[in-house]
Amino acid sequence: MNLAYEYGIVGPEYLWIMSDGLSANHFRDKKYDVGSPLAVATQGISILQAKGGLETPDGSTGTDRFIKAYFNQGDDAVNYTTCKRPASNSQNDKSVYYVAEQDFFRSKTLYPGVGATFAYDTAIGIGLAACQLFEEKGTEYFNGEELFNAFVNTEFDGATGRIQIDPKTTSRSAQSAFFVLYNSDGVLDETGEFISFNIETISHTTTTPGSISSDVMWVDLPGKSYHYADGSTE
């Protein structure tokens, strides 16, 4: 962003929307000098990020059920985690590997990241496709192309919502995916010399019943305003 500032393509007259290659956590605990290139460049930028589902207060979504099941895992899951992440290694660096405590999951030691729900749904989708092939062929033997074609035509409710594959792209349909839009807004410290940035979720997508796969509806979160590079909200 320093280079973008140097070339004059950031600031009050510009709107930057970045992909999720940049994590919202990147800005956590960072402070910049007021008026510095990074301070100017960071104000009002947005991050469009794919998320692994939506948690709700009533616990009604697939993500809610996944999170609940994740934290209810017992000793078998703990032991499996430990055997895959041994405590010692060639450098004897305990920060690299660890031994999971017996209440590792139930104590919510590590919250599952965005990749967890996607990985889970991928595995389930492949499994469902394999089951479909078994029913159709009457045998558990099939090739990769057959499994792929069956997977593309698989639709189910998963941890990340309703899983639908777009047959044209053979990737997940935009309508069934869940996206959020983050927005940054600067906050001065008590001295007025440094600025840090709050990164808040401003809006997210939602499904549109009966729509075609390319239709995506955005929902603005109540009480949240989009802050632009010049500090305005309109």
Side-chain angles (χ1 to χ4, degrees), residues 126-151:
I126 293 174
L128 290 174
C131 290
Q132 177 184 332
L133 284 174
F134 177 77
E135 292 181 359
E136 293 176 354
K137 296 169 64 70
T139 175
E140 59 188 20
Y141 296 101
F142 44 81
N143 60 38
E145 182 178 1
E146 291 174 321
L147 181 60
F148 176 78
N149 290 333
F151 175 78

Side-chain angles (χ1 to χ4, degrees), residues 149-212:
N149 290 333
F151 175 78
V152 168
N153 290 287
T154 299
E155 183 175 338
F156 63 99
D157 290 316
T160 59
R162 186 68 181 173
I163 313 302
Q164 297 172 322
I165 307 300
D166 189 330
K168 295 181 180 179
T169 63
T170 66
S171 184
R172 185 163 179 172
S173 68
Q175 191 269 347
S176 77
F178 182 67
F179 294 90
V180 297
L181 184 67
Y182 295 103
N183 177 233
S184 68
D185 185 39
V187 179
L188 291 174
D189 72 352
E190 61 276 5
T191 69
E193 297 179 355
F194 301 98
I195 188 170
S196 58
F197 289 89
N198 290 330
I199 310 296
E200 293 189 321
T201 303
I202 301 300
S203 59
H204 63 76
T205 58
T206 185
T207 57
T208 309
S211 69
I212 60 174

Side-chain angles (χ1 to χ4, degrees), residues 51-72:
K51 295 287 286 184
L54 176 67
E55 293 181 71
T56 58
D58 61 2
S60 61
T61 68
T63 307
D64 292 319
R65 293 189 289 273
F66 174 85
I67 297 297
K68 181 179 179 180
Y70 177 89
F71 286 131
N72 281 336

Side-chain angles (χ1 to χ4, degrees), residues 69-84:
Y70 177 89
F71 286 131
N72 281 336
Q73 294 181 101
D75 292 346
D76 288 344
V78 171
N79 293 334
Y80 182 79
T81 300
T82 295
C83 80
K84 294 298 182 181

